[in-house]
Amino acid sequence: MTAGGWTDEDDPALVTRALDRDDAAFGELLRRHRDAALRVAAVITGSTDDAADVVQEAFVRAHGRLGTFRGESSARSWLLRVVANEAKNHVRGRTRRRRHEDRHFRLGLRSTDTAEPTDVAAERRLEHERVAAALGRLGRRDREVLGCRFLAGLTEAETADVLGVPVGTVKSRTSRALDRLARELEEQER
């Protein structure tokens, strides 16, 4: 049970209520899936700073497009697909702007955990930066699938829904992306 009194099984009920113009129900749906949405957006955009803006814009779009939800996938998958599409659009626009300005794209994730001892937090940040740099050198599809599967914690089926590809494609992309990530991390150590 969540703070609002809803259980995980209530997503379909929340969607139904939201379609009946119940903004509190839509707000609960967004609150419930916000963390996963931020992780998906951060991986696709390569920026935790941009992720919050992307998620906000995606949630506005999702609210306007709620009537297009057909229930063929979970509300979570549908919502994260809206976020993924918005993040891809953001990257395309940013890439165009950066090409025009002749600047280069870099992935920069930051650790926000301040409860750890300083040395542990520093080690974690260095490892986080190392993995983020390796992810940044991967192609967009590799970043998307790894972000959905491991940073957002989505299942293969949810990842397939979010990315709009078959489950078999998610499996093969995940395997190849993990191999490429391992190679990138090995290259960093040399």
Side-chain angles (χ1 to χ4, degrees), residues 42-89:
V43 167
I44 293 173
T45 65
S47 168
T48 55
D49 293 331
D50 290 347
D53 292 337
V54 165
V55 167
Q56 183 176 353
E57 184 63 30
F59 283 179
V60 169
R61 288 188 192 281
H63 188 268
R65 295 179 182 157
L66 192 58
T68 67
F69 177 67
R70 295 183 303 248
E72 295 170 356
S73 62
S74 69
R76 171 184 164 107
S77 294
W78 176 81
L79 187 59
L80 293 178
R81 186 174 200 170
V82 173
V83 170
N85 288 337
E86 185 65 29
K88 290 174 192 177
N89 289 339

Side-chain angles (χ1 to χ4, degrees), residues 130-190:
R130 188 171 86 86
V131 171
L135 276 169
R137 288 189 298 275
L138 297 179
R140 176 186 56 84
R141 286 183 173 178
D142 291 341
R143 285 193 317 271
E144 289 172 0
V145 75
L146 292 178
C148 287
R149 290 288 290 125
F150 301 108
L151 294 176
L154 303 181
T155 65
E156 287 174 340
E158 289 173 324
T159 299
D161 284 341
V162 168
L163 299 179
V165 299
V167 173
T169 301
V170 168
K171 290 179 182 183
S172 61
R173 281 188 189 173
T174 300
S175 177
R176 285 192 301 269
L178 286 172
D179 288 343
R180 289 181 184 123
L181 180 61
R183 284 194 302 273
E184 286 294 332
L185 291 169
E186 286 172 11
E187 282 292 317
Q188 282 180 351
E189 292 178 6
R190 292 181 189 167

Side-chain angles (χ1 to χ4, degrees), residues 3-140:
W6 304 99
T7 62
D8 287 338
E9 295 81 43
D10 289 328
D11 274 4
L14 289 172
V15 170
T16 300
R17 291 180 58 192
L19 285 168
D20 289 336
R21 301 187 191 275
D22 183 340
D23 289 337
F26 188 72
E28 173 61 20
L29 192 64
L30 298 183
R31 186 203 59 75
R32 174 177 299 180
H33 302 296
R34 185 172 196 278
D35 289 344
L38 284 168
R39 289 189 296 269
V40 167
V43 167
I44 293 173
T45 65
S47 168
T48 55
D49 293 331
D50 290 347
D53 292 337
V54 165
V55 167
Q56 183 176 353
E57 184 63 30
F59 283 179
V60 169
R61 288 188 192 281
H63 188 268
R65 295 179 182 157
L66 192 58
T68 67
F69 177 67
R70 295 183 303 248
E72 295 170 356
S73 62
S74 69
R76 171 184 164 107
S77 294
W78 176 81
L79 187 59
L80 293 178
R81 186 174 200 170
V82 173
V83 170
N85 288 337
E86 185 65 29
K88 290 174 192 177
N89 289 339
H90 178 81
V91 169
R92 278 192 290 273
R94 181 180 62 203
T95 301
R96 280 187 221 111
R97 286 187 304 275
R98 285 194 175 168
R99 274 190 206 137
H100 185 264
E101 297 168 2
D102 196 33
R103 293 190 308 196
H104 300 286
F105 171 73
R106 271 183 47 200
L107 181 67
L109 297 175
R110 290 189 295 283
S111 174
T112 58
D113 191 355
T114 57
E116 298 175 314
T118 305
D119 59 336
V120 173
E123 279 184 38
R124 183 182 302 267
R125 182 179 174 111
L126 286 174
E127 181 62 19
H128 202 71
E129 288 173 358
R130 188 171 86 86
V131 171
L135 276 169
R137 288 189 298 275
L138 297 179
R140 176 186 56 84

